Amino acid sequence: MDPTTDNAGQTGDQGAARAALEALRAEIAKAVVGQDPAVTGLVVALLCRGHVLLEGVPGVAKTLLVRALASALELDTKRVQFTPDLMPSDVTGSLVYDTRSAEFSFQPGPVFTNLLLADEINRTPPKTQSSLLEAMEERQVTVDGTPRPLPDPFLVAATQNPVEYEGTYPLPEAQLDRFLLKLTIPLPSRQDEIDVLTRHAEGFNPRDLHAAGVRPVAGPADLEAARAAVAKTTISPEITAYVVDICRATRESPSLTLGVSPRGATALLATARAWAWLTGRDYVIPDDVKALALPTLRHRVQLRPEAEMEGVTADSVINAILAHVPVPR
């Protein structure tokens, strides 16, 4: 694609911004084999000012994926390893007494960054998990009654192991709803796994992304131009109604005890809009909504215990709803 033009007739900074964000995929691929859907999801979250939950078994490159994204973007990044003894102040920061000035001063925590990698977030108790709620929703941290704004852009990329693993604390519904997307990281295909082992045999070091050739290809200016273009992407009344019908259908599903809230409907509209722009259009079509429905909604619904025992999953319920709800023409 020519970086100065596209299918929708947008030119200049917007086209260059799309080209820069598309280049992220190739740059991240230098470190991570496969996982294109997860990379796309992270880019969509950046465009929507949202946060991402990455779920998968240990060893499928969840942390490496986020680190590679940080290396390919000219953004400040910090990593927090969530453990059972981690305290909220270890994330947000705290007041520290300065003996020289005899005053308390605020020491910022790792949350004051552009891209926060919250590694294994479900290995820390709810008290510490909730320390991120204000940061994720309000983009600020309040300590001792004083609100302190976080930098822009700000994105939390949290990884978690499946809840059935020992030593984990399931994220509460209020926290899950703060994540724009939940991306599942599957085990690689046979060929992808062969490629991974071949890279390691040739000397690839996942702790040294610079040596792997990962370089910054996009920055804050590209994100700002891209967000401005996404905001101008047209959404017809029919598409808005389609999103509402999908979300309302989850509230009526006999397999669910909890359906998608209006906040979830707003999230689906936003992610579909960002995906439409990324694919080169200045308007949203039903396929954009379908493409982002699973990652945007799967963590916002709750299965009935009897449905879970029968092998029903959140994804299968949402797919059935997508097949049932009439698609606008």
Side-chain angles (χ1 to χ4, degrees):
M1 180 182 294
D2 185 337
T4 60
T5 186
D6 56 57
N7 299 355
Q10 298 171 351
T11 59
D13 291 345
Q14 295 177 6
R18 183 188 288 113
L21 293 178
E22 286 177 346
L24 283 176
R25 296 187 189 183
E27 207 64 23
I28 293 172
K30 295 178 181 178
V32 181
V33 177
Q35 308 299 1
D36 275 350
V39 174
T40 300
L42 286 165
V43 174
V44 167
L46 282 168
L47 292 176
C48 297
R49 302 178 188 271
H51 310 285
V52 176
L53 183 63
L54 299 165
E55 184 178 273
V57 298
V60 290
K62 299 186 297 294
T63 303
L64 179 60
L65 176 62
V66 178
R67 287 179 53 238
L69 173 68
S71 295
L73 286 167
E74 293 178 323
L75 298 177
D76 182 48
T77 181
K78 290 185 175 69
R79 176 181 179 272
V80 178
Q81 181 67 49
F82 280 70
T83 57
D85 60 349
L86 193 74
M87 298 297 291
S89 59
D90 295 329
V91 178
T92 61
S94 59
L95 293 176
V96 178
Y97 184 71
D98 188 338
T99 55
R100 289 173 296 181
S101 63
E103 293 180 350
F104 284 95
S105 61
F106 179 67
Q107 183 66 37
V111 75
F112 286 86
T113 187
N114 295 125
L115 178 57
L116 177 68
L117 171 55
D119 218 351
E120 295 188 301
I121 191 173
N122 62 334
R123 289 205 179 277
T124 199
K127 178 181 179 181
T128 305
Q129 291 176 3
S130 64
S131 67
L132 281 174
L133 282 175
E134 183 187 15
M136 294 170 68
E137 185 67 19
E138 307 295 336
R139 299 182 183 276
Q140 67 178 24
V141 168
T142 302
V143 176
D144 196 33
T146 303
R148 293 173 170 85
L150 294 170
D152 183 46
F154 173 69
L155 178 142
V156 174
T159 71
Q160 73 168 12
N161 299 321
V163 293
E164 62 265 20
Y165 277 74
E166 292 184 7
T168 60
Y169 301 83
L171 292 170
E173 289 80 7
Q175 178 106 16
L176 283 171
D177 204 34
R178 290 332 193 261
F179 286 99
L180 180 73
L181 300 171
K182 179 182 178 182
L183 306 174
T184 56
I185 310 297
L187 289 165
S189 66
R190 180 176 182 274
Q191 185 55 53
D192 282 347
E193 196 163 2
I194 289 173
D195 292 344
V196 170
L197 267 62
T198 300
R199 289 189 182 190
H200 280 264
E202 292 172 350
F204 171 72
N205 181 1
R207 295 172 183 81
D208 189 357
L209 296 179
H210 187 78
V214 180
R215 301 287 186 270
V217 294
D222 298 306
L223 282 176
E224 198 58 40
R227 287 169 174 175
V230 169
K232 296 176 182 176
T233 302
T234 304
I235 303 173
S236 69
E238 291 78 15
I239 293 295
T240 303
Y242 182 50
V243 170
V244 168
D245 289 344
I246 290 171
C247 294
R248 291 181 68 85
T250 65
R251 302 168 204 162
E252 300 166 1
S253 171
S255 299
L256 301 176
T257 59
L258 179 68
V260 178
S261 69
R263 189 202 327 246
T266 302
L268 180 54
L269 198 65
T271 56
R273 198 180 204 180
W275 175 242
W277 180 81
L278 275 173
T279 53
R281 277 178 282 102
D282 61 354
Y283 56 92
V284 181
I285 62 174
D287 283 349
D288 299 325
V289 177
K290 290 181 178 180
L292 272 297
L294 287 180
T296 307
L297 304 182
R298 59 163 59 107
H299 57 297
R300 304 176 192 271
V301 300
Q302 202 169 70
L303 288 167
R304 293 188 182 277
E306 54 270 29
E308 209 164 357
M309 290 177 64
E310 293 172 1
V312 176
T313 65
D315 284 13
S316 64
V317 172
I318 294 169
N319 278 325
I321 288 172
L322 290 175
H324 176 73
V325 173
V327 179
R329 298 295 179 184

